[in-house]
Structures are given as C-alpha cells and as structure tokens.
Amino acid sequence: MSVTLNLFGQLRHIADADEVSIDVATDSTLLSTLKALAGNYDDSFSTMLFDESGAVRPTMMVLINETTIDKANPPSIQDGDQITLLSAIAGG
Amino acid sequence: MIPLNDEEKATYEWQMWARGFGETGQEKLKNSSALVSRLGGLGGPVAQELAAAGIGKLILAHGGNLKHSDLNRQILMKYDGLGTPRIDQAVEHLLAINPRLEIVAIGENISEDNVDALVEQADIVFDCAPLFEERFAMNRACVEQRKPLIDAAMFSLEGQVTTIIPGETACLQCIYPEVPTSWQREFPVFGAVSATAACIAVMEGIKLLSGMAEPSLKGKMLYYDLRGMAFHKVNTQRNPECPICKDC
Ligand SMILES: [Zn+2]
C-alpha cells in the first residue's frame, strides 16, 4: 500500500522534498513506516526523527490525515494515509 | 480605563469600523500591555503592528547590535544603524509610528533571571525568540502568572502560531516536552515568512485584548507553508503529566 509523508521544518530541508510517497507492507506500523522513510536519506534525517532508543522524538509532532496522534499508541496505517511530520521550529 | 482622546479617535477610525471592535475594543487595546521578545524578523513586525494598532504599552527585550545578516527581515532596523544596539533602533522606530506609546525596553534577551519581572508588567506575551530556552522561560512564567502566550515560530518558508491560555490549553512544554536537540541557532529565513507569522500572532492578541472575537488558535496550532501557500490547523494536546502546567 502507499502512504504519503508531508515533511516540515528541518526534515524537509534534509530530504529536499515537501512530500514523499512510499510503498509499505499492509501490516505496517507508524514506526516501521517512518523507518522505511528514513532509509531513503542520510543519518541526519534519522537523528532528527528518532531518539537514541529508536522511538520518534518527543518534540516531533506527528499527524495522520491532519489529526494529532498519540505517538505512544499510534493508530494502524492504512492505504492512502497522509502522515505529517512537523519538526520543532523556533525561528524568528 | 483611560478613554480615547480625539487624536486617537481620528487615528484608529478605520479599524474601529471592524465588526465587534469599535471604540470599546480600541479603548481596551489602549489600556493593554504586551511583552515582545525578541524584535527580529518575527518580533519586529509584531511590535510594529501592535504599535500601529494603538496598544498602550510595550515591554521589549532584545540584546545585541545590528549586523548585515539581520537586515533581510528585522524591519525595525535601519542600514545606518549597523553596529549599534538593536533595542534603541526598535524604540525609535516604534515611537515614530506611535508617539503615544509607553515603552519599557531592555537591551538583553529573555532569560530565567529576568523573565518573571518582565511578564509581570504585561497583559499578554508574544514569544518570538529563536531559542527554545527563551521560549520555555516565557512559557513557564506565563503559566505561573496565568498570562496568555502567543507563540510564533518560523523556518525557511514555513511558520507556526499557537495561542496558549494557561489552565485551558496545552502549554509550550506540553507540545515540546524538552529542548529539541535538532534546533540550530542559524536557520533559513525570509522576512516575509516571519512577518506572516507575526501578523497572525498580532491578530490573535488583538482579539484577546479587545474581546472582539474568540482567539482562533486557542488550543490549536496553525502551520503554514508559503512554498505551496497551504495553511492548516491542528489541535494541540495538554499533557496531564506536563511539569509546567499539570497543576494549572
Ligand atoms: Zn504544559
């Protein structure tokens, strides 16, 4: 199945893309989907997205279909989902 | 409440025509105060729009002297002011727009040492700082003093604005539980992207201070992308374990 990832902040800067579509297995979780995404880029992307334990960083806002989700208990991923990653920004 | 004088009635006539604002809203704005930190690409236009709209008092915090790399966005500054304190140029610029404005200006950035006394002087706080440590200091002080905080931020062609009401909405540390390790002090920036966030933040503040309308971003984060001209709103979520606001 296919999911679309909308990237914001520094993640977009590293990926050099606003939006990325990837194919993932039908039983994919949020974490496995994000790991698959990170596999397309260099380590700085993974470092930005995941903490030392491999979990999504607590400062990363994750939306699925424009709704905030609980990263500790994410819903299952469906074909056609739009996952938005908002990295923390503080520029002025 | 100090009433509007004739000059103020003439100056603000056109904005008093806005539905729900009127002379009552203008009078409330005149009798209001706001803390703005800092006065760069974001805080500069925040302070400018508040001054032009007729807020009564601004408390301003911004350290450092003007450099060339500030001039693409810091619209309170002038080329002739290169090498001189930015706070002095900001005050001069704002008083040139609105000489009735009362200004408390300090030539240093917000820190845990000065934040409580600065927030105390303000009815509302506009967080426009480029470092999360400063943002967290304002957030903590606002939660403790139960003051509304408009948090605005940008990066490259993107921006975010949220209105934080302590005790009602998520605070900044509900959203970001720790200082993001990824954030770097130098970032890509266009002045127009910063000013977009600034103007949205100011309208949230004017709604709150004047009572003209419910702030639209209370408990919501607006995030926008000026590359694709897309604007989205998402709910922010309180963290019941948040060390800053859990007892608020
Ligand atoms: Zn909180």
Side-chain angles (χ1 to χ4, degrees):
Chain A
M1 63 183 184
S2 173
V3 295
T4 301
L5 293 115
N6 301 305
L7 307 177
F8 285 85
Q10 301 100 315
L11 285 179
R12 174 184 288 197
H13 205 64
I14 297 171
D16 196 21
D18 304 351
E19 182 186 294
V20 182
S21 288
I22 57 172
D23 290 318
V24 292
T26 48
D27 58 349
S28 292
T29 62
L30 175 66
L31 194 59
S32 69
T33 302
L34 296 183
K35 298 266 181 195
L37 170 74
N40 295 329
Y41 305 106
D42 66 28
D43 286 351
S44 62
F45 192 95
S46 289
T47 307
M48 188 81 60
L49 187 50
F50 303 114
D51 66 16
E52 293 68 23
S53 75
V56 178
R57 286 195 181 277
T59 52
M60 183 70 59
M61 286 180 75
V62 181
L63 319 178
I64 297 183
N65 301 324
E66 299 208 16
T67 302
T68 317
I69 57 134
D70 177 3
K71 290 194 289 282
N73 297 293
S76 58
I77 300 298
Q78 309 294 325
D79 185 38
D81 274 352
Q82 298 264 340
I83 302 173
T84 300
L85 300 174
L86 293 165
S87 30
I89 60 174
Chain B
M1 188 141 17
I2 305 166
L4 302 177
N5 61 33
D6 289 342
E7 183 184 73
E8 288 164 333
K9 285 179 187 170
T11 304
Y12 305 116
E13 183 183 13
W14 288 28
Q15 77 188 21
M16 290 194 292
W17 293 339
R19 184 169 61 85
F21 190 65
E23 201 168 313
T24 308
Q26 190 67 53
E27 208 168 87
K28 285 184 182 165
L29 197 57
K30 171 183 174 158
N31 287 275
S32 298
S33 55
L35 167 63
V36 185
S37 164
R38 306 181 192 188
L39 300 169
L42 196 43
V46 164
Q48 177 171 275
E49 292 298 341
L50 288 170
I55 196 162
K57 179 177 174 181
L58 286 175
I59 301 104
L60 307 171
H62 195 143
N65 294 341
L66 186 66
K67 308 182 296 295
H68 277 100
S69 60
D70 298 328
L71 283 169
N72 77 319
R73 64 193 183 282
Q74 301 193 6
I75 56 165
L76 304 186
M77 313 302 161
K78 292 195 299 250
Y79 183 86
D80 287 349
L82 281 166
T84 70
R86 286 180 289 186
I87 191 72
D88 296 343
Q89 295 176 65
V91 169
E92 186 185 335
H93 181 105
L94 295 167
L95 288 174
I97 296 170
N98 179 357
R100 298 170 299 278
L101 188 61
E102 182 186 348
I103 296 181
V104 174
I106 64 159
E108 58 189 68
N109 299 322
I110 291 279
S111 68
E112 278 295 345
D113 295 333
N114 62 21
V115 69
D116 294 308
L118 292 169
V119 170
E120 256 172 38
Q121 300 175 64
D123 298 317
I124 192 169
V125 176
F126 290 86
D127 175 3
C128 307
L131 295 173
F132 276 94
E133 288 81 355
E134 288 176 52
R135 289 178 179 262
F136 284 179
M138 279 181 271
N139 179 62
R140 183 206 41 80
C142 284
V143 168
E144 284 178 12
Q145 298 184 32
R146 306 290 194 270
K147 300 270 175 82
L149 173 71
I150 317 285
D151 190 89
M154 63 75 59
F155 176 87
S156 194
L157 269 65
E158 302 157 37
Q160 297 176 351
V161 184
T162 185
T163 297
I164 294 168
I165 310 289
E168 290 185 51
T169 71
C171 81
L172 192 61
Q173 282 200 245
C174 292
I175 302 170
Y176 303 122
E178 60 191 31
V179 171
T181 51
S182 57
W183 181 250
Q184 293 176 338
R185 175 63 189 85
E186 294 184 344
F187 45 86
V189 50
F190 277 96
V193 181
S194 295
T196 301
C199 291
I200 291 167
V202 166
M203 281 319 299
E204 283 291 280
I206 287 176
K207 285 186 247 175
L208 262 170
L209 293 169
S210 71
M212 76 179 288
E214 185 74 0
S216 318
L217 301 179
K218 186 172 132 180
K220 295 180 193 297
M221 179 181 281
L222 174 87
Y223 62 98
Y224 64 81
D225 169 18
L226 297 191
R227 195 177 291 273
M229 289 298 172
F231 288 69
H232 312 263
K233 274 193 279 186
V234 64
N235 291 329
T236 58
Q237 293 179 329
R238 279 196 88 173
N239 172 9
E241 305 299 318
C242 173
I244 304 301
C245 75
K246 67 175 184 226
D247 298 324
C248 181

